[in-house]
Amino acid sequence: MKRSLKAFIFDLDGVITDTAEFHYQAWKRLAAEEGIPFTRKDNEELRGVSRERSLELVLAGREYTAEEKKLLMDRKNQYYKELITTITPDDLLPGVADLIKKLKENGYKLALASASKNAKTVIKNLELEEVFEYIADGYSVQNSKPAPDLFLFTANKIGVSPENCAVFEDARSGVEAALAANMLAVGIGPAERVGIADYVYETMADVDLDEILGERE
Ligand code: BG6
Ligand code: MG
């Protein structure tokens, strides 16, 4: 499909910085305390998924009351918040700073759309607050990815039609959300995970902007 791209929407965790690893460590710590097995492979299913849904996946059918679940999520978030205090601008994933610079120089609008309620803290620690025209986070919409809501909300905030937006995503659920929003999806990671995207690159450093912009009319 021919598109006239005007905006690039970035996911945060696993795209701009490797917080996917911190989410893993925080869930792993909680799971260990609860005596629940949890591996790096299990964690792949949690990419892009809300905190509530992540907990369900970690618990894998084990019975906890609603109150207990809330306490478990709070604990995990506490562990996660400890880990993200260490984030500095040096923690941008390779290729990200260059990509942002090129896109800005070429006049594209940039926005962030993350499922995380901690997104603004991470962006502050990375010193990227001035880069994005709008930051949508885990508080912005009700329906989380793979629903298109967060991306549609973001496009609306920056005043760009969905078909004129491209999305960088490392999660299957995020790529599904971008496609459902009728945006161009750029998948970051292995094809098994993000292979349904319009373009797939192993890492952000591999992103070929000229190839993506070849979609321009
Ligand atoms: C997404 C992560 O960006 O945010 C998920 O990929 C995470 O792993 C989700 O569960 C929610 O994050 P938070 O910080 O609100 O618990
Ligand atoms: Mg992500």
Side-chain angles (χ1 to χ4, degrees):
M1 185 176 75
K2 281 274 176 199
R3 289 174 192 263
S4 164
L5 290 177
K6 294 193 170 68
F8 283 78
I9 301 177
F10 289 71
D11 172 51
L12 173 63
D13 296 325
V15 166
I16 289 186
T17 187
D18 193 17
T19 27
E21 176 62 22
F22 288 161
H23 279 294
Y24 166 66
Q25 287 177 20
W27 283 121
K28 175 89 187 153
R29 181 169 166 194
L30 182 83
E33 286 167 356
E34 294 297 309
I36 299 171
F38 183 67
T39 64
R40 230 169 243 286
K41 188 164 171 290
D42 299 330
N43 187 62
E44 283 299 293
E45 298 305 312
L46 272 52
R47 264 179 205 265
V49 169
S50 72
R51 198 182 302 169
E52 290 75 11
R53 177 78 191 121
S54 296
L55 178 69
E56 296 301 336
L57 293 171
V58 171
L59 296 181
R62 288 173 183 79
E63 299 224 344
Y64 285 83
T65 65
E67 181 55 24
E68 285 167 341
K69 284 183 188 171
K70 188 178 174 308
L71 292 173
L72 289 173
M73 283 191 287
D74 288 351
R75 231 160 85 205
K76 181 268 173 177
N77 195 45
Q78 218 33 60
Y79 301 157
Y80 182 67
K81 277 163 71 175
E82 281 168 28
L83 292 167
I84 62 176
T85 57
T86 65
I87 293 177
T88 73
D90 289 341
D91 293 310
L92 283 182
L93 281 168
V96 172
D98 250 25
L99 198 57
I100 287 175
K101 188 164 169 276
K102 267 193 209 152
L103 290 170
K104 283 242 164 210
E105 280 170 2
N106 286 288
Y108 292 99
K109 288 192 176 186
L110 304 188
L112 188 100
S114 167
S116 173
K117 291 180 170 151
N118 294 293
K120 288 190 175 143
T121 307
V122 173
I123 287 296
K124 185 166 178 286
N125 293 353
L126 290 169
E127 295 178 12
L128 288 182
E129 286 154 305
E130 305 305 316
V131 165
F132 299 104
E133 209 148 307
Y134 192 80
I135 294 176
D137 64 11
Y139 296 102
S140 299
V141 298
Q142 280 284 320
N143 294 331
S144 43
K145 304 169 187 179
D149 303 34
L150 187 68
F151 289 130
L152 293 174
F153 173 88
T154 308
N156 186 45
K157 285 286 180 192
I158 58 172
V160 179
S161 299
E163 64 270 24
N164 301 135
C165 295
V167 172
F168 293 112
E169 256 295 349
D170 69 312
R172 186 195 314 268
S173 61
V175 170
E176 284 170 3
L179 294 173
N182 189 24
M183 297 181 180
L184 183 88
V186 182
I188 307 300
E192 307 89 85
R193 197 169 78 211
V194 291
I196 57 165
D198 297 293
Y199 294 96
V200 176
Y201 304 102
E202 195 60 38
T203 72
M204 285 297 270
D206 301 315
V207 169
D208 181 348
L209 212 47
D210 292 337
E211 183 180 35
I212 296 170
L213 295 177
E215 290 259 330
R216 269 189 301 192
E217 277 172 324

